[in-house]
Amino acid sequence: MPERIVIVGAGQAGYQVAASLRQEGFDGSITLIGDEPFLPYQRPPLSKAYLMGKADEDSLPIRPEAFYEANRVEVVRAERAISINRQARKLETASGKFFAYDRLALATGSRARVLPIEGAGLDGVLSLRNLDDAHRLKEVLEGAGTLTVIGGGFIGLEVAASAKVLGKAVTVIEALPRLMGRAVAPATSAFFEEFHKSLGNTVLTSTGVARIGGNGRVSHVELADGRRIEADAVVIGVGAAVNMELAADAGLACGNGIAVDEFTFTCDPLIVAAGDCTEHPNRFAGGRFRLESVQNAIDQGRIAAKSLTGQRVPYDSVPWFWSDQADVKLQMAGLPVGADAYVVRGEPASKRFSVFHFAGDRVVCVDSMNRPADHMLARRLIEAGISPTRDQAGDESFDLKPLMPRHR
Ligand SMILES: Cc1cc2nc3c(=O)[nH]c(=O)nc-3n(C[C@H](O)[C@H](O)[C@H](O)COP(=O)(O)OP(=O)(O)OC[C@H]3O[C@@H](n4cnc5c(N)ncnc54)[C@H](O)[C@@H]3O)c2cc1C
């Protein structure tokens, strides 16, 4: 058994590794090092309840301070790990401290992707990844009448929906022909475009941005076709970049993330990795994949703790995800990989329906709008590799539950 385990990254996955290590009976020292000044907290509310003022900062920490004391987890805040000496088994932080380890877990997550565009550095132009970003965004929105969101992905659309609730005039600009285009079915994209328009938001798809304009402070966004959108604030939500430089500089194999096996081991048997930062084998993707979700951070964090305590349990969870936009909860089960046909179950106009992604005869993913029961069943069906036919999926009068083995 190792005696000293150091975890880099005090987010969802880093917290989970620490908590699960104690659940697995690990009795040695656990040090959780994070570069933010906070205890591990939940990011999803930052674009939803927290932004709308429906949840305060006290509700964000995953666990209170007392949890870390009771479980003897030393949380080192506002310390950035800058290098790993794998021969000496120690880690150096930006302030010059060294942390020796027997085993190391990397849970460095991802960061907001930067848009290399003129005006991106103006005051009032923001991205949203962490609590400091959310503080700034709240402040900026207080004084803003108009908000332009560049990027019609999950975070951009959640910010757009929340800002609308706050009474802002919102424009969403998406370069691709449809919203959340890489993640959801065409019918889901079409629904959300109409839904945002029904809220009063302006949605521009297939639209490029030429530059962000203003004199010190943002005043407008200029589109590629020359149009000008007035904006007191701009949120750039164009995806995430993975934090893998620490691992790569230490010579650990990386692809589209820190490369790990099904047990979360990197190419160094003393180092595991979990969460947004990993590229891992995922049978639901049919190959190696990188996920950005709470589900993945939690489930992979648990597996990492098992591996660190000498167990051999592979990571094999069905991916799932959610996004709250005003009064619509989108839940996704599976991954939209290889889909070639889509079947709608229910009536989009009712704001309660699901879309089944088929790859041949196989259901690979299901998007559910305000249909949590469909979502829960979809997770089980996809995990078990059981698919309804397209006719069954589209026929609301056909009960899908008996397809699960225990009902047979
Ligand atoms: C606004 C927002 C809304 C979201 N909504 C949803 C949602 O509705 N549903 C969902 O499933 N997912 C959602 N996500 C995604 C989800 O929050 C992430 O997938 C999850 O937080 C990943 O956990 P993680 O621990 O891998 O990374 P993170 O939570 O990003 O934690 C990584 C931590 O490591 C720190 N770090 C990085 N490098 C270093 C270093 N060298 N030294 C020290 N510390 C370091 C980072 O600063 C960060 O604190 C959302 C994300 C955001 C930003």
Side-chain angles (χ1 to χ4, degrees):
M1 264 298 205
E3 286 177 8
R4 293 164 305 184
I5 296 182
V6 172
I7 304 164
V8 181
Q12 187 77 56
Y15 154 77
Q16 193 60 54
V17 175
S20 295
L21 277 171
R22 289 292 180 236
Q23 280 158 10
E24 298 295 343
F26 176 69
D27 197 37
S29 77
I30 302 175
T31 307
L32 178 57
I33 302 173
D35 59 0
E36 296 188 65
F38 313 106
L39 286 176
Y41 60 88
Q42 311 165 69
R43 285 174 209 281
L46 300 183
S47 49
K48 312 175 183 83
Y50 179 72
L51 190 57
M52 287 185 284
K54 294 181 179 172
D56 60 17
E57 204 173 315
D58 294 345
S59 67
L60 297 179
I62 301 171
R63 302 302 284 266
E65 188 117 40
F67 171 86
Y68 300 94
E69 283 161 21
N71 285 280
R72 290 180 294 116
V73 175
E74 184 195 0
V75 185
V76 180
R77 306 190 211 183
E79 278 284 356
R80 183 162 187 76
I82 54 165
S83 69
I84 303 166
N85 182 335
R86 288 165 53 201
Q87 281 68 43
R89 295 184 196 170
K90 66 181 180 194
L91 186 88
E92 185 177 0
T93 63
S95 69
K97 294 198 180 81
F98 289 90
F99 294 84
Y101 65 83
D102 298 318
R103 299 285 186 278
L104 180 65
L106 299 176
T108 48
S110 52
R111 58 183 180 265
R113 195 162 77 78
V114 173
L115 191 63
I117 190 177
E118 186 185 326
L122 289 168
D123 279 352
V125 180
L126 306 160
S127 56
L128 179 56
R129 177 70 204 176
N130 57 40
L131 187 49
D132 283 339
D133 297 336
H135 283 150
R136 269 193 295 277
L137 178 57
K138 275 184 119 169
E139 257 170 42
V140 166
L141 280 182
E142 264 169 32
T146 52
L147 168 71
T148 293
V149 176
I150 301 177
F154 294 112
I155 290 179
L157 291 175
E158 288 174 4
V159 168
S162 300
K164 189 73 216 174
V165 170
L166 295 172
K168 313 299 168 190
V170 182
T171 303
V172 178
I173 303 169
E174 168 56 50
L176 296 176
R178 61 187 182 90
L179 300 177
M180 302 175 285
R182 291 188 202 91
V184 302
T188 307
S189 296
F191 166 79
F192 275 97
E193 183 166 342
E194 280 316 304
F195 175 62
H196 274 268
K197 287 177 178 169
S198 76
L199 294 176
N201 289 344
T202 302
V203 180
L204 306 173
T205 51
S206 302
T207 301
V209 173
R211 64 185 60 78
I212 304 171
N215 190 2
R217 181 161 198 92
V218 63
S219 61
H220 65 277
V221 172
E222 194 182 310
L223 302 181
D225 62 13
R227 275 182 292 167
R228 181 184 158 115
I229 313 282
E230 301 307 315
D232 301 328
V234 169
V235 169
I236 298 178
V238 291
V242 57
N243 292 328
M244 61 181 179
E245 293 79 2
L246 181 70
D249 290 349
L252 297 176
C254 293
N256 178 32
I258 304 169
V260 295
D261 65 12
E262 65 270 49
F263 304 105
T264 75
F265 283 111
T266 65
C267 62
D268 182 333
L270 302 183
I271 306 179
V272 297
D276 278 18
C277 66
T278 69
E279 185 204 69
H280 59 271
N282 194 305
R283 79 173 156 108
F284 302 96
R288 299 186 65 78
F289 208 74
R290 192 171 76 78
L291 286 165
E292 291 167 10
S293 70
V294 168
Q295 169 276 317
N296 178 59
I298 292 175
D299 291 342
Q300 226 178 17
R302 288 185 176 136
I303 295 297
K306 287 188 190 295
S307 295
L308 289 168
T309 51
Q311 301 168 67
R312 297 285 288 177
V313 180
Y315 176 63
D316 189 35
S317 306
V318 63
W320 58 268
F321 187 82
W322 80 96
S323 173
D324 296 324
Q325 299 175 33
D327 62 345
V328 178
K329 181 181 270 299
L330 160 65
Q331 292 171 291
M332 297 171 64
L335 292 173
V337 175
D340 52 21
Y342 304 92
V343 174
V344 176
R345 184 176 177 88
E347 183 41 63
S350 69
K351 295 203 266 187
R352 289 187 72 253
F353 69 106
S354 294
V355 185
F356 287 65
H357 304 225
F358 279 88
D361 293 337
R362 214 160 40 90
V363 171
V364 291
C365 185
V366 177
D367 310 336
S368 298
M369 272 53 66
N370 291 334
R371 300 243 304 203
D374 278 8
H375 172 70
M376 294 312 292
L377 181 63
R379 278 201 222 169
R380 293 168 57 214
L381 288 172
I382 291 170
E383 184 168 26
I386 295 169
S387 297
T389 65
R390 294 183 192 189
D391 285 346
Q392 289 169 343
D395 177 1
E396 278 216 88
S397 67
F398 181 86
D399 185 5
L400 297 173
K401 282 199 281 309
L403 293 175
M404 279 307 294
R406 72 185 175 87
H407 288 278
R408 279 185 182 151

